[in-house]
Amino acid sequence: MRPISIETGVTKHAEGSCMIKVGDTHVLCTATIEERVPPFMRNSGQGWVTAEYGMLPRATNTRMRREAAAGKQGGRTVEIQRLIGRSLRAGVDRQALGERQITVDCDVIQADGGTRCASITGGWVALRLAVNKLLKAGDITTDPLLAPVAAVSCGIYAGQTVLDLDYPEDSEAGVDGNFVMTGAGRLIEVQMSAEGATFTHEQMARLMELADKGVSELVEAQKAAVA
Amino acid sequence: MRPISIETGVTKHAEGSCMIKVGDTHVLCTATIEERVPPFMRNSGQGWVTAEYGMLPRATNTRMRREAAAGKQGGRTVEIQRLIGRSLRAGVDRQALGERQITVDCDVIQADGGTRCASITGGWVALRLAVNKLLKAGDITTDPLLAPVAAVSCGIYAGQTVLDLDYPEDSEAGVDGNFVMTGAGRLIEVQMSAEGATFTHEQMARLMELADKGVSELVEAQKAAVA
Amino acid sequence: MRPISIETGVTKHAEGSCMIKVGDTHVLCTATIEERVPPFMRNSGQGWVTAEYGMLPRATNTRMRREAAAGKQGGRTVEIQRLIGRSLRAGVDRQALGERQITVDCDVIQADGGTRCASITGGWVALRLAVNKLLKAGDITTDPLLAPVAAVSCGIYAGQTVLDLDYPEDSEAGVDGNFVMTGAGRLIEVQMSAEGATFTHEQMARLMELADKGVSELVEAQKAAVA
Amino acid sequence: MRPISIETGVTKHAEGSCMIKVGDTHVLCTATIEERVPPFMRNSGQGWVTAEYGMLPRATNTRMRREAAAGKQGGRTVEIQRLIGRSLRAGVDRQALGERQITVDCDVIQADGGTRCASITGGWVALRLAVNKLLKAGDITTDPLLAPVAAVSCGIYAGQTVLDLDYPEDSEAGVDGNFVMTGAGRLIEVQMSAEGATFTHEQMARLMELADKGVSELVEAQKAAVA
Amino acid sequence: MRPISIETGVTKHAEGSCMIKVGDTHVLCTATIEERVPPFMRNSGQGWVTAEYGMLPRATNTRMRREAAAGKQGGRTVEIQRLIGRSLRAGVDRQALGERQITVDCDVIQADGGTRCASITGGWVALRLAVNKLLKAGDITTDPLLAPVAAVSCGIYAGQTVLDLDYPEDSEAGVDGNFVMTGAGRLIEVQMSAEGATFTHEQMARLMELADKGVSELVEAQKAAVA
Amino acid sequence: MRPISIETGVTKHAEGSCMIKVGDTHVLCTATIEERVPPFMRNSGQGWVTAEYGMLPRATNTRMRREAAAGKQGGRTVEIQRLIGRSLRAGVDRQALGERQITVDCDVIQADGGTRCASITGGWVALRLAVNKLLKAGDITTDPLLAPVAAVSCGIYAGQTVLDLDYPEDSEAGVDGNFVMTGAGRLIEVQMSAEGATFTHEQMARLMELADKGVSELVEAQKAAVA
């Protein structure tokens, strides 16, 4: 694992925020509370947690086209923000949250591999801080957050199973993916993809072991940050 | 597993085509060969395989808005067609294919769960038939298809690990996902997602065993269809 | 006229459906009943019938770009679906239908000329079946369908007036068009267009005679299908 | 027929232009010559004539949303501009025009029914003037315009066949349409549509006779304008 | 200043309208009254004045792409219509107007520099005429128009400060801009921009003097037009 | 003036970068060098400088919709990025820059008024650093930056002319605007806008004096940052 740092309270407007740095990958995560839910949730008594993801045009080595200028979010962006939202919701008791929405925005300031995992890990910290605000204000009485949620990437690079790939490793890896887990070691999302390659059940098992270790370390960093 | 049927040669224009039925899920798969590659592949001496996915508006129980009328493909569609393309490419020697593109279109005529898995399984059959045409015409001499590629869904429904979920099961399952594998039993893609739930390493292992069985059955059906 | 076949009940979800085949042109038509009308019809006591049209990307000889991926429906698609909707509405007593909407989706599975005419003819069959369901359930008591509606293409090809053009004829014809008529021989829509050519009043009269015969044959096929 | 006036040379930039007034319907038509053709015409030795149509937001009784602000041209606009382009091309020898494009823009300044017919009639005048410029400059030697092209609307209103409908008539007519013809009395486009009604072959024949008369009058006005 | 002409009542549908000509720049301005306000103004007791701007494709020397066909309004269009709306609102007592909206559409028929200034000057005339209608009908009792609003362009061209630039001057000017003022000589908007150049405080002061003179002349023309 | 801080080199990928803080307004500015120019500049021997502007969704007090998700850049964004680009170009000798493009991205991390001015001031620092890299590498030999470019907002708030408005002041000000100037005190852009108000020539003159002072202070901060 690359060095992890999570700085909280980095923006004055958001209900919860942090800057997470995993190696040279830096993501600004903010959580916004709104007293409304999407149409399909109205009058359900339950809340909603969703996420949006973006990358600054020059977060990467060569400048990428700004999605707002291109007129739409690319397939990769859509896929990532759906993953972040689903992952965070898995750790939330939506009944306890009450009929309100929390939107977690993850914006990549600098990218060096693993931006979606850093977004989930940092996004949970922003969510935790926003929920703390609701609890402190007495808007809710039961904590809706069931457990910390964190994510780590891993892959098979030059024949070896590796954890927390940086960009050069990631772009060379024939197999890579992400494990999203709770602080209690339960699985939320497992995604392993091969591009022009395949992998064995044994490799899959080894990647899972690595991921367990990585997530433990991330959850420690989360706990320290929100303490 | 629900009953599987694969009928080939269902449209007169496409280089390869089949209608795959997995239970009440019916997907029309066509493969189109074009003697050009996307800009990022030009002069690489390698070919490209890509996929597009769509659902007829009334393939589902209630009518969905036509994506062409809505003016964009939804996030779910984008996610699925990226998965199909990635999965099929994992079974292709792109050097042997030569600098040409094969586009696999998967259009869901009737949906009852597992449309993305049926698309991958049927898509490979269409791809196989199109490649056979190239081989027969002498356009290529080495078969670029390394192994059959098939996919099966599985999930945890009412506390139990189940294979090949239909729509009612799928919409109730707290955890579901897809396994894409080769006919030789190697993994291409593993995707397990929890929505408002979590799962254990043991459950993950059991799902993997189920998937092995399901994919074996699908590969038999593929072999019979293209024989 | 090319051989006509109409198979009903081809999809389990739609209130009415058929696969119409006119020669090598195959169109899947479904009718969806919704208990709401567009904003401009609310509180009018009248219903609405509308249509949407699409072509699978490889319905044609060379693959066409998927309209959902292109981000909009092309001019030809818009023109065709407006024609289908208008044609079907001409045969409907919208007061008798009551304040509900029926959407007829026509998706071309395989194209060989005359897809808009096949869509109208098959679309009416799907509409008929959906309306039968409403009548049987007692949701309406007066049949809102005034007469069958069917359409046939014709044109001037190699100097001769011809009926029911297939794709090679259609693409060579300097003049072509469509006649939409009721089973009682009344006109609903007459569209003759010249592209880089002109035609005489006499030719127009001959085309009309041909169309009368073609529509009679189509209406027979419709009656047999819904019997 | 309502009074017709055609004023030419109304804008200093366009190669050909006129303001056509048919009753209270006023359309500004301009023709632009460009020394290039669309990709599908390149190296064909033939030219192309195309048209675009628009309506100022307050050309109508109540303000319509500006299409540029809405982000797309509506179905009606697309249908109309395809009709104008097709109609004008029917009167052009594209070989004689040479490999260049003429774009005819028809913008409705004030609408009172029959805007598409006025656009075709006025559009031909703008086209004629632009082509005259090419002939005068010696850029082409053979006149590519085969015959004048003009259009008139007609319909069935209050049980009677009528010519050149104004807006109140048009919006009440159960059947209406357009006839596009050459100055020599040959047909280019026949479009009769019923909305919630049907019509007979006899009515169709009467409408055609009316149209013959209307077009004759329009062609006289065109000839006077370009003289 | 180039010759100014303002003809009122040029379209039969709009509540207020004029054709303003400043030299060879011709803009059609219409004002539409609607008894509704945008969502952010509801129940405020105040009205709203907004503007939209467009250019016919061949208003310019070479044909520009139609914005409706391009699928969006360009940056220049958006900037201009925001300026027109802001400028007109500065001269309106929105309380006196009451909760209704007036939309001023400015469509450039022929362009030769200064189209945004002509739009503001002519737009105010259309607004004045529409408001007169409300006053005459007794819908409002206090005149909400505080003062005439007019605009003039100026710039530095070939080293000299000049007023009311035509297109050749404008495209050569290193510095140009617009002054929007009331008939009473108060400022509403000052916009001076350098492109690849800079300017001094002294030049700025001289431009302001020129603008004072130009606006006086325009306000005289406005008064004469609405008298 | 609020406290100003400019930290350079804040991202490892961009050729030039800084984080500028003016009070609670924080903008990340990056400059990207590309060895290509837009089509309209090709083979001109001159370079191009352009800018893009964005705001993170929760940079503001309440969350704004992400422009990439909305599918387009809003009018305000377009207006601002055109201003930034124009302003920076005014300080560049594009011949000396050579045929390459520098894109300055300004992304607002936290907003409290004056984001466009902070973007110009910080954007120039990023541009300076990127150009220094070109000079150091010997890619260019003459410094293309003619003078520092900085911008300050000012307005009339509660009857008083004020400099560098924060968000509460800005949203209450009836008149506000921006002055863009060079380090040598020459003007580049003057924009004063009244919303529902007007202002006098005397007020304009006082605002200009204030702006002179503000820009001097900003230029000092720029010089210190790039030293």
Side-chain angles (χ1 to χ4, degrees):
Chain A
M1 289 291 291
R2 295 174 289 175
I4 304 159
S5 106
I6 304 176
E7 186 191 355
T8 60
V10 292
T11 160
K12 75 169 190 174
H13 297 302
E15 280 73 43
S17 72
C18 75
M19 174 72 85
I20 184 168
K21 298 185 180 178
V22 180
D24 278 340
T25 290
H26 304 177
V27 185
L28 179 65
C29 304
T30 61
T32 297
I33 302 170
E34 287 165 306
E35 295 297 320
R36 53 177 191 77
V37 286
F40 63 87
M41 294 296 300
R42 277 183 205 145
N43 304 316
S44 68
Q46 302 200 343
W48 190 245
V49 172
T50 188
E52 291 195 4
Y53 170 91
M55 240 192 204
L56 297 193
R58 194 56 200 279
T60 43
N61 195 37
T62 54
R63 188 177 182 272
M64 294 179 314
R65 194 172 177 202
R66 193 177 283 269
E67 288 189 322
K72 65 171 190 163
Q73 296 182 302
R76 182 184 165 277
T77 295
V78 169
E79 209 172 288
I80 292 176
Q81 67 192 12
R82 283 163 60 95
L83 168 64
I84 302 171
R86 223 160 47 221
S87 297
L88 295 177
R89 278 195 299 279
V92 173
D93 175 349
R94 298 199 283 113
Q95 196 74 42
L97 178 58
E99 212 167 307
R100 53 176 61 82
Q101 172 167 303
I102 303 184
T103 302
V104 175
D105 284 290
C106 302
D107 285 274
V108 180
I109 303 299
Q110 187 176 280
D112 187 33
T115 63
R116 76 188 73 189
C117 291
S119 296
I120 292 168
T121 306
W124 185 83
V125 170
L127 178 63
R128 173 75 275 174
L129 295 171
V131 167
N132 285 355
K133 216 164 193 173
L134 287 172
L135 285 164
K136 205 171 169 185
D139 291 331
I140 52 176
T141 48
T142 311
D143 185 359
L145 297 195
L146 306 167
V149 172
V152 70
S153 73
C154 53
I156 303 175
Y157 169 68
Q160 294 211 289
T161 50
V162 285
L163 193 65
D164 188 30
L165 291 74
D166 63 17
Y167 181 73
E169 289 166 346
D170 188 33
S171 54
E172 293 295 319
V175 177
D176 72 337
N178 312 286
F179 288 81
V180 187
M181 297 172 65
T182 69
R186 291 181 67 92
L187 294 161
I188 288 174
E189 188 104 16
V190 176
Q191 289 192 335
M192 291 305 306
S193 296
E195 179 72 53
T198 56
F199 55 108
T200 64
H201 288 63
E202 291 67 39
Q203 287 174 316
M204 180 72 195
R206 273 205 300 281
L207 291 170
M208 226 147 177
E209 283 169 41
L210 282 176
D212 279 339
K213 286 184 197 151
V215 168
S216 298
E217 203 173 320
L218 289 161
V219 171
E220 288 312 305
Q222 287 178 320
K223 286 183 180 162
V226 301
Chain B
M1 290 289 293
R2 296 174 288 176
I4 304 158
S5 105
I6 304 176
E7 186 191 353
T8 60
V10 292
T11 161
K12 75 167 187 173
H13 297 302
E15 281 74 42
S17 72
C18 74
M19 173 72 84
I20 183 168
K21 300 185 179 178
V22 180
D24 278 341
T25 290
H26 304 177
V27 184
L28 179 65
C29 304
T30 61
T32 297
I33 302 170
E34 287 165 306
E35 295 297 321
R36 56 175 189 77
V37 286
F40 62 88
M41 292 298 299
R42 277 183 206 145
N43 304 317
S44 67
Q46 301 201 343
W48 190 245
V49 173
T50 187
E52 291 196 6
Y53 171 92
M55 241 192 202
L56 297 194
R58 195 56 201 280
T60 44
N61 195 36
T62 54
R63 186 176 184 275
M64 295 180 314
R65 192 170 179 204
R66 192 176 284 267
E67 290 189 323
K72 65 170 191 165
Q73 296 182 301
R76 182 184 165 279
T77 295
V78 170
E79 209 172 289
I80 291 176
Q81 68 192 12
R82 284 162 59 94
L83 168 64
I84 302 170
R86 225 161 44 220
S87 296
L88 295 178
R89 276 195 299 277
V92 174
D93 174 349
R94 298 199 282 112
Q95 196 73 43
L97 178 57
E99 213 167 307
R100 54 176 60 83
Q101 172 167 301
I102 302 184
T103 302
V104 176
D105 284 288
C106 302
D107 285 274
V108 180
I109 302 298
Q110 187 176 279
D112 187 31
T115 63
R116 77 189 73 189
C117 291
S119 296
I120 292 168
T121 306
W124 185 83
V125 170
L127 178 63
R128 172 75 275 174
L129 295 171
V131 167
N132 286 354
K133 217 165 193 173
L134 287 172
L135 285 164
K136 205 170 167 186
D139 292 331
I140 51 177
T141 48
T142 311
D143 185 359
L145 297 196
L146 306 167
V149 173
V152 70
S153 73
C154 54
I156 304 175
Y157 169 66
Q160 293 210 290
T161 50
V162 286
L163 192 64
D164 188 30
L165 290 74
D166 63 17
Y167 181 74
E169 289 166 346
D170 187 34
S171 55
E172 293 295 319
V175 176
D176 72 338
N178 313 287
F179 288 82
V180 186
M181 297 173 64
T182 69
R186 292 182 66 94
L187 295 161
I188 288 174
E189 188 104 16
V190 175
Q191 290 192 334
M192 292 305 306
S193 296
E195 180 71 53
T198 55
F199 55 108
T200 63
H201 288 62
E202 291 68 36
Q203 287 173 315
M204 181 72 195
R206 274 205 299 280
L207 291 169
M208 224 146 178
E209 282 169 40
L210 283 176
D212 278 340
K213 285 182 198 155
V215 168
S216 297
E217 203 173 318
L218 290 161
V219 171
E220 288 312 307
Q222 288 178 318
K223 286 182 181 164
V226 301
Chain C
M1 288 291 293
R2 297 174 288 174
I4 304 160
S5 105
I6 305 177
E7 186 189 354
T8 60
V10 294
T11 160
K12 74 169 190 173
H13 297 303
E15 280 74 42
S17 72
C18 75
M19 174 72 86
I20 183 168
K21 299 185 180 177
V22 180
D24 278 340
T25 290
H26 304 177
V27 184
L28 179 66
C29 305
T30 61
T32 297
I33 302 171
E34 288 165 305
E35 294 297 320
R36 55 178 190 76
V37 286
F40 63 87
M41 292 297 299
R42 278 182 205 144
N43 304 316
S44 67
Q46 301 201 342
W48 190 244
V49 172
T50 187
E52 291 195 4
Y53 170 92
M55 238 191 204
L56 297 193
R58 195 55 201 280
T60 43
N61 195 36
T62 55
R63 187 177 183 273
M64 294 179 315
R65 194 171 178 203
R66 192 176 283 267
E67 290 189 322
K72 65 171 190 164
Q73 296 181 302
R76 183 185 164 276
T77 294
V78 168
E79 209 172 289
I80 292 176
Q81 66 191 11
R82 284 162 60 95
L83 168 64
I84 303 171
R86 224 161 46 221
S87 296
L88 294 177
R89 278 195 299 279
V92 174
D93 175 349
R94 298 200 282 112
Q95 196 74 42
L97 179 57
E99 212 168 307
R100 54 176 61 83
Q101 172 166 302
I102 303 185
T103 303
V104 175
D105 283 290
C106 302
D107 285 274
V108 180
I109 303 298
Q110 188 175 280
D112 187 32
T115 64
R116 78 189 71 188
C117 291
S119 296
I120 291 168
T121 306
W124 185 83
V125 170
L127 177 64
R128 174 73 275 174
L129 296 171
V131 167
N132 285 354
K133 216 164 195 172
L134 287 172
L135 285 164
K136 204 171 170 185
D139 292 331
I140 52 177
T141 49
T142 311
D143 185 0
L145 297 195
L146 306 167
V149 173
V152 70
S153 72
C154 54
I156 303 175
Y157 169 66
Q160 294 212 288
T161 51
V162 285
L163 192 65
D164 188 29
L165 291 74
D166 62 17
Y167 181 73
E169 289 166 346
D170 188 33
S171 53
E172 293 295 319
V175 177
D176 71 338
N178 313 286
F179 288 81
V180 187
M181 297 174 65
T182 70
R186 291 181 66 91
L187 295 160
I188 289 175
E189 187 104 17
V190 175
Q191 290 192 336
M192 291 305 306
S193 297
E195 179 72 52
T198 56
F199 56 109
T200 64
H201 288 63
E202 291 68 38
Q203 288 174 314
M204 181 72 195
R206 274 205 298 281
L207 291 169
M208 225 146 177
E209 282 168 42
L210 283 175
D212 279 339
K213 287 184 198 150
V215 167
S216 297
E217 202 174 319
L218 290 161
V219 170
E220 288 312 305
Q222 287 178 320
K223 286 182 181 163
V226 301
Chain D
M1 287 290 293
R2 297 173 289 175
I4 304 160
S5 104
I6 303 176
E7 186 190 355
T8 59
V10 293
T11 162
K12 74 169 189 173
H13 297 303
E15 281 74 42
S17 72
C18 75
M19 174 73 84
I20 183 169
K21 300 185 180 178
V22 180
D24 279 339
T25 290
H26 304 177
V27 184
L28 179 65
C29 305
T30 61
T32 297
I33 302 171
E34 287 165 306
E35 294 297 321
R36 55 177 189 76
V37 286
F40 62 88
M41 292 298 298
R42 279 186 204 142
N43 303 317
S44 67
Q46 302 202 341
W48 190 245
V49 172
T50 188
E52 291 197 5
Y53 171 92
M55 239 191 203
L56 297 194
R58 194 57 199 281
T60 44
N61 195 36
T62 55
R63 186 177 183 274
M64 294 178 315
R65 193 171 179 203
R66 193 177 284 269
E67 289 189 322
K72 64 170 189 165
Q73 296 182 302
R76 183 185 165 278
T77 294
V78 169
E79 211 171 288
I80 291 176
Q81 67 192 11
R82 283 162 59 93
L83 168 65
I84 302 170
R86 227 162 41 222
S87 297
L88 294 178
R89 276 194 300 278
V92 173
D93 174 348
R94 299 201 280 112
Q95 195 76 40
L97 178 57
E99 212 167 309
R100 52 176 61 83
Q101 172 166 301
I102 303 184
T103 302
V104 174
D105 284 288
C106 302
D107 285 274
V108 181
I109 302 298
Q110 188 176 279
D112 187 32
T115 62
R116 77 188 73 187
C117 290
S119 296
I120 291 168
T121 307
W124 186 83
V125 170
L127 178 64
R128 172 75 276 172
L129 295 171
V131 167
N132 285 353
K133 215 165 195 171
L134 287 172
L135 285 164
K136 205 172 168 185
D139 292 332
I140 51 177
T141 48
T142 311
D143 185 0
L145 298 195
L146 306 167
V149 173
V152 71
S153 72
C154 54
I156 304 175
Y157 169 65
Q160 294 212 286
T161 50
V162 286
L163 192 65
D164 188 29
L165 291 73
D166 63 16
Y167 181 73
E169 288 166 346
D170 187 35
S171 54
E172 293 295 318
V175 176
D176 72 338
N178 313 286
F179 288 81
V180 187
M181 297 172 65
T182 69
R186 292 181 67 92
L187 295 161
I188 289 175
E189 188 105 17
V190 176
Q191 290 192 336
M192 291 304 306
S193 296
E195 179 72 54
T198 55
F199 56 109
T200 64
H201 288 61
E202 290 68 37
Q203 288 174 315
M204 182 72 196
R206 274 205 298 281
L207 291 169
M208 225 146 176
E209 283 168 41
L210 283 175
D212 279 339
K213 285 182 200 154
V215 167
S216 297
E217 203 173 318
L218 289 161
V219 170
E220 288 312 305
Q222 287 177 319
K223 285 182 181 165
V226 301
Chain E
M1 289 289 293
R2 296 173 288 175
I4 305 160
S5 106
I6 304 176
E7 185 190 355
T8 60
V10 293
T11 161
K12 73 169 190 175
H13 297 302
E15 281 74 41
S17 71
C18 74
M19 174 72 85
I20 183 168
K21 299 185 180 177
V22 180
D24 278 341
T25 290
H26 303 178
V27 185
L28 179 66
C29 305
T30 62
T32 297
I33 302 171
E34 287 165 306
E35 294 296 320
R36 55 178 191 76
V37 286
F40 63 88
M41 292 298 299
R42 279 183 203 142
N43 304 317
S44 67
Q46 302 201 342
W48 189 245
V49 172
T50 187
E52 291 197 5
Y53 170 92
M55 239 191 205
L56 296 194
R58 195 56 201 278
T60 43
N61 196 35
T62 55
R63 187 177 184 272
M64 294 180 314
R65 193 171 178 201
R66 193 176 283 268
E67 289 188 323
K72 64 170 192 167
Q73 296 182 302
R76 183 184 164 277
T77 295
V78 169
E79 211 171 287
I80 291 176
Q81 67 191 12
R82 284 162 60 93
L83 167 65
I84 303 170
R86 225 161 45 222
S87 297
L88 294 177
R89 278 195 298 279
V92 173
D93 174 349
R94 298 199 283 112
Q95 196 74 43
L97 179 57
E99 212 166 308
R100 55 176 59 85
Q101 171 167 302
I102 302 184
T103 302
V104 175
D105 284 290
C106 302
D107 286 273
V108 180
I109 302 298
Q110 187 176 280
D112 188 31
T115 64
R116 75 189 72 190
C117 291
S119 295
I120 291 168
T121 306
W124 185 83
V125 170
L127 177 64
R128 172 75 275 173
L129 295 171
V131 166
N132 285 355
K133 216 164 193 173
L134 287 172
L135 285 164
K136 204 171 171 186
D139 292 332
I140 52 176
T141 48
T142 311
D143 185 359
L145 297 196
L146 305 167
V149 172
V152 70
S153 73
C154 53
I156 304 175
Y157 169 66
Q160 294 212 287
T161 51
V162 285
L163 193 64
D164 187 30
L165 291 73
D166 62 17
Y167 181 72
E169 289 166 345
D170 188 32
S171 54
E172 293 296 318
V175 176
D176 72 338
N178 313 286
F179 288 81
V180 187
M181 297 174 65
T182 69
R186 291 182 67 93
L187 295 160
I188 288 175
E189 188 104 16
V190 176
Q191 290 191 337
M192 292 305 306
S193 296
E195 180 72 53
T198 56
F199 55 109
T200 64
H201 288 62
E202 290 68 38
Q203 288 173 314
M204 180 73 195
R206 274 204 299 280
L207 292 170
M208 225 145 177
E209 281 169 41
L210 283 176
D212 279 339
K213 285 183 201 154
V215 167
S216 298
E217 201 173 320
L218 289 161
V219 171
E220 288 313 305
Q222 288 177 319
K223 286 183 181 162
V226 301
Chain F
M1 290 290 292
R2 296 174 288 174
I4 304 159
S5 104
I6 303 176
E7 186 189 354
T8 60
V10 293
T11 162
K12 75 169 188 175
H13 297 302
E15 281 73 44
S17 72
C18 75
M19 174 73 85
I20 183 168
K21 299 185 179 177
V22 180
D24 278 341
T25 289
H26 304 178
V27 184
L28 179 66
C29 304
T30 61
T32 297
I33 302 170
E34 287 165 306
E35 294 297 322
R36 55 177 189 77
V37 287
F40 62 88
M41 293 296 300
R42 278 184 205 144
N43 303 316
S44 67
Q46 302 202 342
W48 190 245
V49 172
T50 187
E52 291 197 4
Y53 170 92
M55 239 193 203
L56 297 193
R58 194 56 199 279
T60 44
N61 195 36
T62 54
R63 187 177 183 274
M64 295 179 314
R65 193 170 178 204
R66 191 177 286 267
E67 289 189 323
K72 64 171 191 164
Q73 296 182 302
R76 183 185 165 278
T77 294
V78 169
E79 209 172 288
I80 292 176
Q81 67 193 12
R82 283 162 59 94
L83 168 64
I84 302 171
R86 224 162 43 221
S87 297
L88 294 178
R89 275 195 301 278
V92 174
D93 174 348
R94 298 200 281 113
Q95 195 75 42
L97 179 56
E99 213 167 307
R100 53 175 61 83
Q101 173 167 300
I102 303 184
T103 302
V104 175
D105 284 289
C106 301
D107 285 274
V108 181
I109 303 299
Q110 188 176 278
D112 187 32
T115 63
R116 78 189 71 188
C117 291
S119 296
I120 292 168
T121 307
W124 185 83
V125 170
L127 178 63
R128 172 76 274 174
L129 295 171
V131 167
N132 285 354
K133 217 164 193 172
L134 286 172
L135 285 164
K136 205 170 168 186
D139 291 331
I140 51 176
T141 46
T142 311
D143 185 359
L145 298 196
L146 306 167
V149 172
V152 70
S153 73
C154 54
I156 304 175
Y157 169 66
Q160 294 212 287
T161 50
V162 286
L163 193 64
D164 188 30
L165 289 75
D166 63 17
Y167 181 73
E169 289 166 346
D170 187 34
S171 53
E172 293 295 319
V175 176
D176 72 337
N178 313 286
F179 288 81
V180 187
M181 298 173 65
T182 69
R186 292 181 67 92
L187 295 162
I188 289 174
E189 187 104 16
V190 176
Q191 289 193 334
M192 292 304 307
S193 296
E195 179 72 53
T198 55
F199 55 109
T200 63
H201 288 62
E202 291 68 35
Q203 287 174 315
M204 182 71 196
R206 274 206 299 283
L207 291 170
M208 225 147 177
E209 283 169 40
L210 282 176
D212 279 339
K213 286 183 199 153
V215 167
S216 298
E217 203 173 319
L218 289 162
V219 170
E220 288 312 306
Q222 287 177 320
K223 286 182 181 164
V226 301

